[in-house]
Amino acid sequence: MSDDLCVEVPVAAAFRIRWAGAQWEADAAMALRRAVFCHEQGIFNGDDRDQVDDTAQLLVAVKCEAGAPEMVVGTVRIHQTEPGVWFGSRLAVHTAYRSHGKIGATLIKLAVSSANGLGCTRFLAHVQSQNVPLFRRLHWNVLAEETLLGRPHHLMQADLDHYPACLTPRVGLSTLGRSGT
């Protein structure tokens, strides 16, 4: 873990959103997904991992304190299903950081922008209905309403014109905010 990943921010916390690079980040992201999708929402029994995880790129939102990475507070994964077509899935933010308001949005921004930097021509996601307003604010359009895993979802597509290509996803993006709990 290098000190140049995060900057010290007085009174507020710094969050670095980037592609997961360290094993501890991947482990923490998977634990966060289990907490959200298995325990909190009860969508999966025990674990939410599937075959997509074998090829997906994992993104993390890491809370930084005193300039050092401290904990993963958000995650999402992206994967290409055919040349140019990418999907985002398993967006999860720790309960203590959901009111921050920028973590989920910044994860979405980096997910689409980094895929765009890899030649994405279409970026899609199956979005839980309660999250549709957030995605609409971020320039996504509803293509269809669906039921997945027994819950209402919307198949949505990002407007790539609002997501310039990110060619440095391992460095990622930063956002500031309240430190949470």
Side-chain angles (χ1 to χ4, degrees), residues 4-165:
D4 64 317
L5 293 178
C6 301
V7 295
E8 186 172 350
V9 179
V11 186
F15 299 91
R16 171 66 68 184
I17 290 78
R18 59 188 167 89
W19 282 12
Q23 189 61 48
W24 74 268
E25 294 171 330
D27 293 344
M30 298 311 279
L32 176 59
R33 283 177 31 184
R34 278 190 303 281
V36 170
F37 298 116
C38 300
H39 304 294
E40 179 185 333
Q41 295 183 1
I43 295 174
F44 301 99
N45 186 17
D47 199 356
D48 74 313
R49 290 181 192 235
D50 61 18
Q51 69 279 1
V52 171
D53 288 308
D54 295 338
T55 59
Q57 176 59 55
L58 191 62
L59 286 74
V60 291
V62 178
K63 178 184 172 194
C64 301
E65 291 288 337
E70 180 185 84
M71 69 181 282
V72 171
V73 298
T75 187
V76 68
R77 67 182 182 182
I78 61 173
H79 70 285
Q80 188 170 213
T81 58
E82 60 185 80
V85 179
W86 287 75
F87 268 83
S89 58
R90 301 294 204 272
L91 176 65
V93 176
H94 188 289
T95 55
Y97 297 89
R98 288 182 193 156
S99 63
H100 176 274
K102 295 179 185 175
I103 294 171
T106 308
L107 279 162
I108 294 164
K109 179 179 178 180
L110 183 60
V112 179
S113 294
S114 59
N116 203 356
L118 295 170
C120 177
T121 57
R122 191 170 190 215
F123 195 99
L124 304 163
H126 296 280
V127 177
Q128 290 185 19
S129 293
Q130 72 268 17
N131 296 323
V132 168
L134 168 65
F135 280 77
R136 284 187 193 268
R137 284 192 304 275
L138 297 174
H139 305 283
W140 287 63
N141 300 305
V142 173
L143 302 178
E145 293 184 33
E146 307 171 326
T147 299
L148 295 174
L149 304 165
R151 294 175 181 249
H153 283 72
H154 290 73
L155 176 61
M156 298 187 77
Q157 180 173 330
D159 180 346
L160 294 179
D161 291 339
H162 291 276
Y163 295 90

